[in-house]
Amino acid sequence: MKDSATVLVTGGTGFLGQHVVGLLQTKADHVTEIRVLDMVPFENKLDYNHTKPLKTFVGSITDEKILKEACHGVQSVIHIAGIPDSAMFPDKDRINEVNVQGTLLTLLTALGTAGIQRFIYCSSMSVAIGNNDVTQGISENDPIPSKRLFEPYASSKLTGERIVLSANSPTFRTVSLRPLVMWGELDTIFVQLSQRMAMWTFGYLPTINCGDVVQHNAYVGNTAWGFVCAEKKLHSDFKKDDPISEMSISVKNESEKSKFCSELRRRSKRMRIDSEFEDFKDTSRDSELSSANIYYIADDNPPENPFKFQDPILTASGYKIIKYPCPLFIMNIVFYIIYGVLVFLRLFGLKFNFPVGLGCLSYYRRSYIFNDAKAREELGYRPLYTPEVALERSLKYYEKFSYRVN
């Protein structure tokens, strides 16, 4: 088929990746073959019909050999693979290696592979949140805060975003999607972490007094649909030989493309030595980057107090939220005590960690609301699942997890 496409999904065995693969199977008629590159073989963990051929490539996105094998014969790359780390002591070297170096190598491989036309990058809403309330809706045009809550993860995703968007050209389209905090089937971080904490505290989840804070979360199925909508839109535009005219173009021709790749590879080798993000900060200066290539993906779930949102899920799982929230200053004291103990232990080489970092406390102090009007207008995105359907689908998963941890 002339208009058919083979799509590679990096990180396709993970939380978001599984949902993207499922929707490529069932909701993307132009996709005739799906490839998944991840550290473990792909296994369909969701309830959908597996009708299109799928190939699994087992390996790391930091391995150029496996990247070249996976990209051969592909027309589009959906790059989701990454390390989310919000622990008290995040592994900076690992985050750097996968989220920056791995993204760079994946992009370079795609640029050097004949036939690849599109590169859809999974960024994060964490690049845009700092110590400030945003109640009017964060949009793509809003400035990036100089200090972000979840470091170094946020900086690694922002660096990857800058690198990817810098490669945009008339023949190689790149976009960056910024998912919100996600929940739903296969979640192991957001609600599941609350379930674990409730289990550790005899079935009751301690809460923080957040005041009037409300936050935007999104059902993972709708986020995944945003990625598929981006793929469908870019494919449609290429088929019509009419790429999105509003997009910013960084690489004008093949000569610039070659120079660009050489420069990225030089910086890649340098980064392996100094292991820092700084050498990529001028890859594409903020003043030269257009927000035209960036999209937030939210859904119709209303912004809500984070603990009120989780209440029905925890109740269905057999847990309860403590009705009297802990004052934030007390929780701050507790966290700093934990931090101090862990620092002391690490002096003796004991690498103990805590799954929740200090940035999480700041996160629960602020309201964060996002505006996805641009994705709806330009990508044709509309949430695939209503809030009621999303909750119904998710409860079945979270209830099973409850039985597993008990």
Side-chain angles (χ1 to χ4, degrees):
M1 293 176 60
K2 182 179 178 181
D3 297 329
S4 63
T6 297
V7 177
L8 170 65
V9 182
T10 70
T13 68
F15 177 30
L16 175 59
Q18 285 270 351
H19 287 266
V20 169
V21 170
L23 291 173
L24 288 173
Q25 285 277 3
T26 59
K27 299 289 185 180
D29 293 340
H30 72 287
V31 176
T32 54
E33 180 183 322
I34 302 167
R35 299 184 184 181
V36 171
L37 171 59
D38 213 319
M39 297 297 292
V40 295
F42 181 83
E43 175 188 352
N44 181 357
K45 297 180 180 180
L46 299 170
D47 184 21
Y48 64 85
N49 292 325
H50 190 121
T51 59
K52 299 174 183 177
L54 185 145
K55 293 182 180 179
T56 296
F57 295 82
V58 179
S60 170
I61 56 171
T62 61
D63 184 341
E64 287 191 80
K65 181 180 179 181
I66 194 72
L67 279 170
K68 288 179 180 178
E69 292 177 8
C71 284
H72 181 70
V74 164
Q75 286 75 51
S76 177
V77 175
I78 299 178
H79 181 50
I80 298 173
I83 299 292
D85 192 341
S86 58
M88 192 161 284
F89 293 92
D91 188 341
K92 182 178 181 180
D93 290 339
R94 182 62 176 157
I95 290 172
N96 196 0
E97 177 187 11
V98 176
N99 294 0
V100 180
Q101 183 75 21
T103 294
L104 175 63
L105 292 178
T106 305
L107 177 69
L108 281 169
T109 305
L111 282 166
T113 302
I116 295 186
Q117 305 165 335
R118 320 182 273 285
F119 195 101
I120 300 168
Y121 174 68
C122 179
S123 184
S124 168
M125 63 91 194
S126 66
V127 307
I129 61 171
N131 286 308
N132 57 304
D133 290 273
V134 183
T135 58
Q136 298 303 312
I138 301 173
S139 72
E140 295 81 1
N141 293 320
D142 291 336
I144 297 296
S146 58
K147 293 184 178 180
R148 295 169 291 276
L149 295 187
F150 299 104
E151 295 288 20
Y153 173 72
S155 287
S156 74
K157 298 304 286 186
L158 182 59
T159 301
E161 184 175 277
R162 287 169 169 167
I163 294 170
V164 168
L165 296 183
S166 296
N168 193 47
S169 74
T171 58
F172 186 86
R173 286 298 187 182
T174 65
V175 296
S176 178
L177 273 55
R178 293 176 178 172
L180 311 191
V181 172
M182 294 177 289
W183 54 280
E185 305 97 307
L186 307 183
D187 164 33
T188 60
I189 298 176
F190 183 31
V191 177
Q192 262 201 19
L193 180 57
S194 295
Q195 288 179 304
R196 288 194 189 97
M197 293 180 70
M199 181 189 66
W200 298 336
T201 51
F202 309 103
Y204 289 87
L205 178 68
T207 61
I208 305 171
N209 188 348
C210 298
D212 297 328
V213 164
V214 293
Q215 295 174 346
H216 234 155
N217 306 310
Y219 173 58
V220 63
N222 287 326
T223 303
W225 178 235
F227 280 82
V228 175
C229 286
E231 162 59 22
K232 292 173 70 173
K233 173 63 176 174
L234 292 181
H235 170 262
S236 175
D237 287 338
F238 265 102
K239 186 174 67 172
K240 295 184 296 186
D241 196 25
D242 180 28
I244 297 176
S245 59
E246 294 85 356
M247 284 185 166
S248 65
I249 303 298
S250 300
V251 180
K252 304 284 191 303
N253 52 49
E254 290 301 311
S255 176
E256 284 194 16
K257 177 180 175 181
S258 177
K259 292 179 182 178
F260 175 80
C261 289
S262 297
E263 176 66 8
L264 284 187
R265 193 164 291 280
R266 181 191 69 77
R267 294 178 182 218
S268 169
K269 292 178 181 178
R270 178 174 170 178
M271 195 185 77
R272 289 172 185 171
I273 298 173
D274 62 27
S275 187
E276 290 292 344
F277 302 145
E278 278 69 15
D279 199 37
F280 290 96
K281 286 186 176 178
D282 65 345
T283 299
S284 182
R285 295 176 178 85
D286 285 336
S287 60
E288 298 170 350
L289 265 180
S290 170
S291 63
N293 307 57
I294 299 171
Y295 300 89
Y296 285 107
I297 306 296
D299 60 16
D300 293 334
N301 284 279
E304 198 170 9
N305 177 282
F307 295 108
K308 183 179 179 182
F309 163 76
Q310 295 191 53
D311 192 15
I313 299 175
L314 290 171
T315 299
S317 305
Y319 302 116
K320 295 184 182 297
I321 287 181
I322 295 177
K323 293 182 179 180
Y324 302 100
C326 176
L328 186 59
F329 79 91
I330 292 180
M331 193 62 71
N332 271 322
I333 293 172
V334 171
F335 264 61
Y336 275 105
I337 290 173
I338 294 172
Y339 178 81
V341 170
L342 293 179
V343 168
F344 178 77
L345 293 174
R346 284 171 171 255
L347 293 175
F348 298 94
L350 301 173
K351 300 296 184 181
F352 291 111
N353 209 341
F354 192 68
V356 181
L358 297 174
C360 290
L361 283 182
S362 297
Y363 178 73
Y364 282 116
R365 292 172 55 191
R366 306 292 182 185
S367 292
Y368 298 108
I369 299 174
F370 296 83
N371 186 340
D372 68 350
K374 186 163 163 250
R376 298 187 185 223
E377 178 181 351
E378 295 184 9
L379 301 181
Y381 165 73
R382 296 292 185 279
L384 197 60
Y385 305 96
T386 65
E388 295 76 19
V389 171
L391 181 61
E392 180 183 354
R393 291 167 63 94
S394 301
L395 284 179
K396 297 176 182 178
Y397 166 72
Y398 288 121
E399 288 171 1
K400 291 179 182 178
F401 175 79
S402 164
Y403 303 146
R404 194 159 64 247
V405 297
N406 280 301

